[in-house]
Amino acid sequence: MRRRSSTRVRAAVLAARLLCAALFAFPLLFMFVSSLKPDTDIFKDIGSVRAFLPVGDISLDNYAGVFDTVPAARFLLNSLGISLVTVALGILVNSMAAFALSRLSWRGSRLALSVVIATLVVPFETFALPLVWWVDKLPWLTMNGLRLTWSTGWLDTYRVQVIPFVANAFSIYLFYSYFQSIPRQLDEAARVDGAGWFRIYRTVVMPLSGPAIATVAILTFLPAWNSYLWPLMVVQTEELRPVMVGASYFFQLKVHWGEIMAYSTLITLPVLALFLAFQRAFVNSIASTGVKG
Amino acid sequence: MRARMQGGGQGRTGLLMVAPAGVLLILFFFVPVALGFALSFTDARLISPKPLEFVGLENFQRLLDDPVFWTSLRNTLFFAAVIVPAQSGFALLLAVLVNVKMRGTNLFRMLYFVPVVTSIVVVSILWRFMYQPDGLVNSMLHWMTGNVVRVDWLNDTSTALPAIMFMSAWQAVGFHMVIWLAGLQTIPGELYEAAEIDGAGRWHQFRFITWPGLRSTRTFILVTITIAALSLFTQIHVMTGGGPLDATSTVVFQAVRVGYQQQQTAYASAISLVFFLLVLAVSLIQRWLTRERSA
């Protein structure tokens, strides 16, 4: 379809591509390679190409050190749990809302849709600080033996790291656009068979929405795994902290760069593995964010 | 009969299905946004037994007299002014590079995208290490120029913010490359073929086909980069802590510093409100730009 390029142009393009590839890959390669070396070797190798090569005194000592220095396993489990629960609840809650907006007519549905779209541009940072003040005042029901009792304050909990991020205007919008593209004849056929709306949502619309679910899952998982500002402010207890906040522990002690690079690699690997496995879905989700413009 | 009954139930089912998201959005979006406005006129502190008191414009008066706030605002605007053209331009260049049909395209596109899926915390830690006086950046510069370079990038007031700019663009540019690419692929190939027949060179093809064809993509990219740039926080917190001498303090960083570390929720809300107005201004400009297109 596109014009054929001459050999000279192609050579120039290839050269530019390789140069950019080096720019993006070398720092990450340096991180990984350094995580395998003792600190003295890291600094010795920095002046030469050895900085990017796993040569010399290579071992997994830094990785073992990471688990001795900080409760890394705990941080990883926390982040994994928080991210997965946020993703699962997010898919459920946002797709239900989108279904109601796309398929059902109820009082205020048009207004609700435009409100959802209007909230898309407001960054979290604009209301993060009032939100800290606010979650400290929220009530919660706890089981005390067999009695239910009210307590106040969500600071220093898992729930404060999950619940505020479950409902998401952009996820609703993505599901909504996707549902709009599913032919309504399908629901009507199910209606004729006597299915209720909830059943249509569960057995007709959702099973056809794989790509939208994948997009929302990726776009929820990434910020949940990477969250930093929020847990920094609302979680003080070490056992409840996620991986990104855990990184700051290394700077409170004698700075040991090999271990820091090992921890950085460790907390990057899960996301990187997901990315490599679902490349197309990742890139499509990102591209889909451009649609709203 | 049955269909009519269900038709009547639509309202109730609709409300029921939208309720969980609705309640959560009210609790964790609309209330805090409104609180941000309301608390900036009070003396709220993060943890305080004292009841709230209305203090009028006191927080805003303090804001006007606060030199750290003005420095932070200036740094934030400077950061945005540089990063918006630089990052969007670099992203477009990458998109054009990977839009050429030849071997290895997928591999390169994936490579350019890897920093995007890497957490900004990890990227900041890594570059903090690389920016050390005896770090990788100086040794690469030494290798390329032949001169011994010993710049202490993050501890020098004149290089700290530019160093963070470069790193931020490095991390996020792949994201905008993908969006430019989606835009490029909506331009029909026949347009280029026709231009070729008319004897248009590459530059003219870019100038008269590609650039106009990317109009809505462009607006979107400029707005998202601007808003992200105005929200700058994590890189600062991990790399410099606002220093040296507030040279890298930003509006959001300053809001967190007073609101969280010093527990002054009210004053932090006033700073957040300024940030909110900045974002609002940007999205109003976006509206105006997209309106112009449809007219």
Side-chain angles (χ1 to χ4, degrees), chain B residues 209-251:
Chain B
I209 300 172
T210 313
W211 190 245
L214 290 173
R215 192 159 189 164
S216 58
T217 313
R218 196 156 67 222
T219 314
F220 174 76
I221 286 190
L222 292 181
V223 169
T224 46
I225 300 185
T226 311
I227 292 178
L230 296 175
S231 317
L232 178 64
F233 168 79
T234 306
Q235 294 94 308
I236 306 298
H237 193 261
V238 174
M239 298 178 84
T240 61
L245 298 170
D246 297 321
T248 58
S249 181
T250 61
V251 173

Short mmCIF file of all heavy atoms in Angstrom, two decimals, chain B residues 209-251:
data_model
loop_
_atom_site.label_atom_id
_atom_site.label_comp_id
_atom_site.label_asym_id
_atom_site.label_seq_id
_atom_site.Cartn_x
_atom_site.Cartn_y
_atom_site.Cartn_z
N ILE B 209 0.10 16.06 3.49
CA ILE B 209 -0.78 14.90 3.71
C ILE B 209 -0.72 14.44 5.17
O ILE B 209 -1.72 14.41 5.89
CB ILE B 209 -0.42 13.72 2.77
CG1 ILE B 209 -0.56 14.16 1.32
CG2 ILE B 209 -1.34 12.54 3.06
CD1 ILE B 209 -0.05 13.15 0.34
N THR B 210 0.49 14.11 5.63
CA THR B 210 0.62 13.52 6.97
C THR B 210 0.19 14.51 8.05
O THR B 210 -0.65 14.21 8.89
CB THR B 210 2.09 13.10 7.21
OG1 THR B 210 2.55 12.39 6.08
CG2 THR B 210 2.18 12.23 8.44
N TRP B 211 0.78 15.71 8.03
CA TRP B 211 0.54 16.68 9.10
C TRP B 211 -0.94 17.05 9.22
O TRP B 211 -1.50 16.96 10.32
CB TRP B 211 1.44 17.89 8.87
CG TRP B 211 1.49 18.84 10.01
CD1 TRP B 211 1.04 20.13 10.01
CD2 TRP B 211 2.01 18.60 11.32
NE1 TRP B 211 1.25 20.70 11.23
CE2 TRP B 211 1.84 19.81 12.06
CE3 TRP B 211 2.59 17.51 11.95
CZ2 TRP B 211 2.25 19.92 13.39
CZ3 TRP B 211 2.99 17.63 13.28
CH2 TRP B 211 2.82 18.82 13.98
N PRO B 212 -1.62 17.41 8.11
CA PRO B 212 -3.06 17.71 8.26
C PRO B 212 -3.86 16.48 8.67
O PRO B 212 -4.84 16.60 9.42
CB PRO B 212 -3.49 18.17 6.86
CG PRO B 212 -2.23 18.48 6.12
CD PRO B 212 -1.15 17.66 6.73
N GLY B 213 -3.43 15.29 8.24
CA GLY B 213 -4.16 14.08 8.57
C GLY B 213 -4.07 13.72 10.05
O GLY B 213 -4.86 12.93 10.56
N LEU B 214 -3.11 14.30 10.74
CA LEU B 214 -2.90 13.96 12.14
C LEU B 214 -3.52 14.97 13.08
O LEU B 214 -3.20 15.01 14.26
CB LEU B 214 -1.39 13.87 12.44
CG LEU B 214 -0.66 12.69 11.82
CD1 LEU B 214 0.83 12.81 12.04
CD2 LEU B 214 -1.17 11.39 12.41
N ARG B 215 -4.40 15.80 12.56
CA ARG B 215 -4.87 16.93 13.34
C ARG B 215 -5.47 16.56 14.70
O ARG B 215 -5.06 17.09 15.73
CB ARG B 215 -5.92 17.69 12.52
CG ARG B 215 -6.22 19.01 13.15
CD ARG B 215 -6.81 19.93 12.11
NE ARG B 215 -6.89 21.24 12.71
CZ ARG B 215 -7.07 22.33 12.00
NH1 ARG B 215 -7.16 22.26 10.70
NH2 ARG B 215 -7.15 23.48 12.61
N SER B 216 -6.42 15.61 14.72
CA SER B 216 -7.06 15.31 16.02
C SER B 216 -6.12 14.52 16.92
O SER B 216 -6.11 14.70 18.14
CB SER B 216 -8.37 14.55 15.80
OG SER B 216 -8.11 13.37 15.10
N THR B 217 -5.28 13.67 16.30
CA THR B 217 -4.28 12.95 17.10
C THR B 217 -3.37 13.95 17.81
O THR B 217 -3.02 13.80 18.97
CB THR B 217 -3.41 12.07 16.18
OG1 THR B 217 -4.26 11.35 15.31
CG2 THR B 217 -2.57 11.11 16.97
N ARG B 218 -3.00 14.99 17.05
CA ARG B 218 -2.08 15.99 17.57
C ARG B 218 -2.66 16.67 18.82
O ARG B 218 -1.99 16.79 19.83
CB ARG B 218 -1.85 17.02 16.48
CG ARG B 218 -0.68 17.90 16.68
CD ARG B 218 -0.23 18.43 15.34
NE ARG B 218 -1.20 19.34 14.73
CZ ARG B 218 -1.53 19.33 13.45
NH1 ARG B 218 -0.99 18.46 12.64
NH2 ARG B 218 -2.40 20.20 12.97
N THR B 219 -3.91 17.08 18.71
CA THR B 219 -4.53 17.76 19.86
C THR B 219 -4.51 16.85 21.07
O THR B 219 -4.13 17.25 22.16
CB THR B 219 -5.98 18.13 19.53
OG1 THR B 219 -6.00 18.72 18.25
CG2 THR B 219 -6.53 19.09 20.56
N PHE B 220 -4.90 15.59 20.84
CA PHE B 220 -4.94 14.65 21.96
C PHE B 220 -3.57 14.48 22.59
O PHE B 220 -3.41 14.51 23.81
CB PHE B 220 -5.47 13.29 21.48
CG PHE B 220 -5.41 12.26 22.55
CD1 PHE B 220 -6.33 12.25 23.59
CD2 PHE B 220 -4.41 11.30 22.55
CE1 PHE B 220 -6.25 11.31 24.59
CE2 PHE B 220 -4.33 10.35 23.55
CZ PHE B 220 -5.25 10.36 24.57
N ILE B 221 -2.55 14.32 21.77
CA ILE B 221 -1.20 14.10 22.29
C ILE B 221 -0.71 15.31 23.06
O ILE B 221 -0.17 15.19 24.16
CB ILE B 221 -0.24 13.73 21.13
CG1 ILE B 221 -0.54 12.29 20.71
CG2 ILE B 221 1.22 13.90 21.55
CD1 ILE B 221 0.43 11.69 19.76
N LEU B 222 -0.92 16.50 22.50
CA LEU B 222 -0.46 17.70 23.19
C LEU B 222 -1.14 17.82 24.56
O LEU B 222 -0.49 18.14 25.55
CB LEU B 222 -0.74 18.95 22.35
CG LEU B 222 0.10 19.04 21.07
CD1 LEU B 222 -0.22 20.32 20.31
CD2 LEU B 222 1.59 18.98 21.39
N VAL B 223 -2.44 17.54 24.60
CA VAL B 223 -3.16 17.69 25.87
C VAL B 223 -2.69 16.65 26.90
O VAL B 223 -2.42 16.99 28.05
CB VAL B 223 -4.68 17.61 25.65
CG1 VAL B 223 -5.41 17.50 26.97
CG2 VAL B 223 -5.14 18.84 24.91
N THR B 224 -2.54 15.39 26.46
CA THR B 224 -2.13 14.38 27.45
C THR B 224 -0.71 14.65 27.96
O THR B 224 -0.45 14.50 29.15
CB THR B 224 -2.19 12.93 26.91
OG1 THR B 224 -1.59 12.91 25.63
CG2 THR B 224 -3.60 12.44 26.81
N ILE B 225 0.18 15.06 27.07
CA ILE B 225 1.55 15.33 27.55
C ILE B 225 1.54 16.53 28.49
O ILE B 225 2.20 16.53 29.52
CB ILE B 225 2.54 15.57 26.39
CG1 ILE B 225 2.59 14.34 25.50
CG2 ILE B 225 3.95 15.85 26.93
CD1 ILE B 225 3.63 14.42 24.40
N THR B 226 0.76 17.56 28.14
CA THR B 226 0.72 18.75 29.00
C THR B 226 0.21 18.38 30.39
O THR B 226 0.81 18.76 31.40
CB THR B 226 -0.19 19.83 28.40
OG1 THR B 226 0.16 20.00 27.04
CG2 THR B 226 -0.03 21.15 29.13
N ILE B 227 -0.89 17.64 30.45
CA ILE B 227 -1.46 17.31 31.76
C ILE B 227 -0.50 16.43 32.56
O ILE B 227 -0.27 16.65 33.75
CB ILE B 227 -2.86 16.66 31.60
CG1 ILE B 227 -3.82 17.72 31.07
CG2 ILE B 227 -3.36 16.11 32.93
CD1 ILE B 227 -5.22 17.25 30.81
N ALA B 228 0.14 15.46 31.88
CA ALA B 228 1.12 14.62 32.58
C ALA B 228 2.29 15.47 33.08
O ALA B 228 2.79 15.26 34.19
CB ALA B 228 1.62 13.51 31.66
N ALA B 229 2.71 16.43 32.28
CA ALA B 229 3.85 17.27 32.66
C ALA B 229 3.48 18.13 33.87
O ALA B 229 4.27 18.30 34.79
CB ALA B 229 4.28 18.15 31.49
N LEU B 230 2.26 18.64 33.88
CA LEU B 230 1.84 19.48 35.00
C LEU B 230 1.71 18.65 36.28
O LEU B 230 1.81 19.18 37.38
CB LEU B 230 0.50 20.17 34.69
CG LEU B 230 0.50 21.17 33.53
CD1 LEU B 230 -0.91 21.66 33.26
CD2 LEU B 230 1.42 22.35 33.82
N SER B 231 1.48 17.34 36.14
CA SER B 231 1.31 16.47 37.32
C SER B 231 2.64 15.95 37.87
O SER B 231 2.63 15.11 38.76
CB SER B 231 0.46 15.25 36.96
OG SER B 231 -0.63 15.61 36.18
N LEU B 232 3.75 16.40 37.33
CA LEU B 232 5.07 15.87 37.70
C LEU B 232 5.25 15.74 39.21
O LEU B 232 5.17 16.71 39.94
CB LEU B 232 6.15 16.79 37.13
CG LEU B 232 7.61 16.43 37.44
CD1 LEU B 232 7.97 15.10 36.82
CD2 LEU B 232 8.53 17.52 36.95
N PHE B 233 5.49 14.51 39.67
CA PHE B 233 5.72 14.30 41.09
C PHE B 233 6.74 13.18 41.38
O PHE B 233 7.75 13.41 42.03
CB PHE B 233 4.40 13.98 41.83
CG PHE B 233 4.62 13.47 43.23
CD1 PHE B 233 4.89 14.36 44.25
CD2 PHE B 233 4.62 12.11 43.52
CE1 PHE B 233 5.15 13.91 45.53
CE2 PHE B 233 4.88 11.65 44.80
CZ PHE B 233 5.13 12.56 45.81
N THR B 234 6.44 11.97 40.88
CA THR B 234 7.21 10.79 41.29
C THR B 234 8.71 10.94 41.04
O THR B 234 9.53 10.65 41.90
CB THR B 234 6.68 9.53 40.58
OG1 THR B 234 5.27 9.45 40.82
CG2 THR B 234 7.35 8.29 41.10
N GLN B 235 9.05 11.40 39.82
CA GLN B 235 10.47 11.55 39.48
C GLN B 235 11.15 12.45 40.50
O GLN B 235 12.26 12.17 40.95
CB GLN B 235 10.60 12.20 38.09
CG GLN B 235 10.10 11.36 36.95
CD GLN B 235 8.66 11.66 36.60
OE1 GLN B 235 7.77 11.65 37.46
NE2 GLN B 235 8.40 11.93 35.34
N ILE B 236 10.47 13.53 40.88
CA ILE B 236 11.04 14.49 41.82
C ILE B 236 11.22 13.83 43.19
O ILE B 236 12.27 13.95 43.82
CB ILE B 236 10.09 15.71 41.97
CG1 ILE B 236 9.77 16.32 40.62
CG2 ILE B 236 10.68 16.74 42.93
CD1 ILE B 236 10.93 16.86 39.88
N HIS B 237 10.19 13.13 43.61
CA HIS B 237 10.23 12.54 44.94
C HIS B 237 11.34 11.49 45.05
O HIS B 237 12.02 11.40 46.05
CB HIS B 237 8.87 11.92 45.28
CG HIS B 237 8.72 11.57 46.73
ND1 HIS B 237 8.90 10.30 47.21
CD2 HIS B 237 8.44 12.33 47.80
CE1 HIS B 237 8.72 10.30 48.50
NE2 HIS B 237 8.44 11.52 48.90
N VAL B 238 11.50 10.69 43.99
CA VAL B 238 12.50 9.63 44.04
C VAL B 238 13.92 10.18 43.80
O VAL B 238 14.87 9.73 44.43
CB VAL B 238 12.19 8.54 42.98
CG1 VAL B 238 13.31 7.50 42.92
CG2 VAL B 238 10.87 7.85 43.30
N MET B 239 14.05 11.15 42.92
CA MET B 239 15.39 11.53 42.48
C MET B 239 16.02 12.67 43.26
O MET B 239 17.22 12.66 43.52
CB MET B 239 15.38 11.87 41.00
CG MET B 239 14.98 10.68 40.14
SD MET B 239 14.90 11.09 38.40
CE MET B 239 16.61 10.92 37.92
N THR B 240 15.26 13.71 43.57
CA THR B 240 15.90 14.90 44.15
C THR B 240 15.23 15.40 45.42
O THR B 240 15.81 16.24 46.11
CB THR B 240 15.84 16.07 43.15
OG1 THR B 240 14.47 16.37 42.87
CG2 THR B 240 16.57 15.75 41.86
N GLY B 241 14.01 14.96 45.72
CA GLY B 241 13.30 15.51 46.87
C GLY B 241 13.07 17.01 46.73
O GLY B 241 13.02 17.73 47.72
N GLY B 242 12.97 17.49 45.49
CA GLY B 242 12.69 18.91 45.27
C GLY B 242 13.94 19.76 45.16
O GLY B 242 13.91 20.88 44.68
N GLY B 243 15.07 19.23 45.60
CA GLY B 243 16.30 20.00 45.62
C GLY B 243 17.02 19.97 44.29
O GLY B 243 16.49 19.43 43.32
N PRO B 244 18.19 20.49 44.15
CA PRO B 244 18.85 21.32 45.17
C PRO B 244 18.23 22.73 45.23
O PRO B 244 17.92 23.27 44.17
CB PRO B 244 20.29 21.38 44.64
CG PRO B 244 20.18 21.15 43.17
CD PRO B 244 18.98 20.28 42.96
N LEU B 245 18.05 23.24 46.41
CA LEU B 245 17.49 24.58 46.63
C LEU B 245 16.17 24.78 45.89
O LEU B 245 15.99 25.79 45.22
CB LEU B 245 18.49 25.66 46.17
CG LEU B 245 19.84 25.69 46.90
CD1 LEU B 245 20.80 26.63 46.18
CD2 LEU B 245 19.64 26.14 48.35
N ASP B 246 15.26 23.82 45.99
CA ASP B 246 13.95 23.89 45.34
C ASP B 246 14.02 23.98 43.81
O ASP B 246 13.03 24.31 43.17
CB ASP B 246 13.13 25.08 45.87
CG ASP B 246 12.84 24.93 47.35
OD1 ASP B 246 12.56 23.79 47.78
OD2 ASP B 246 12.91 25.94 48.08
N ALA B 247 15.17 23.69 43.23
CA ALA B 247 15.31 23.82 41.77
C ALA B 247 14.43 22.82 41.03
O ALA B 247 14.17 22.99 39.84
CB ALA B 247 16.76 23.64 41.35
N THR B 248 13.99 21.75 41.69
CA THR B 248 13.15 20.77 41.01
C THR B 248 11.80 20.61 41.70
O THR B 248 11.06 19.68 41.39
CB THR B 248 13.83 19.39 40.93
OG1 THR B 248 14.12 18.97 42.26
CG2 THR B 248 15.11 19.44 40.14
N SER B 249 11.48 21.49 42.62
CA SER B 249 10.17 21.40 43.27
C SER B 249 9.08 21.73 42.25
O SER B 249 9.26 22.61 41.42
CB SER B 249 10.12 22.39 44.44
OG SER B 249 8.87 22.29 45.08
N THR B 250 7.97 20.99 42.30
CA THR B 250 6.87 21.25 41.38
C THR B 250 5.59 21.50 42.17
O THR B 250 5.58 21.32 43.39
CB THR B 250 6.63 20.04 40.45
OG1 THR B 250 6.28 18.92 41.27
CG2 THR B 250 7.85 19.72 39.64
N VAL B 251 4.53 21.87 41.46
CA VAL B 251 3.28 22.20 42.15
C VAL B 251 2.76 21.00 42.94
O VAL B 251 2.43 21.12 44.12
CB VAL B 251 2.22 22.69 41.13
CG1 VAL B 251 0.87 22.88 41.82
CG2 VAL B 251 2.67 24.00 40.51
#
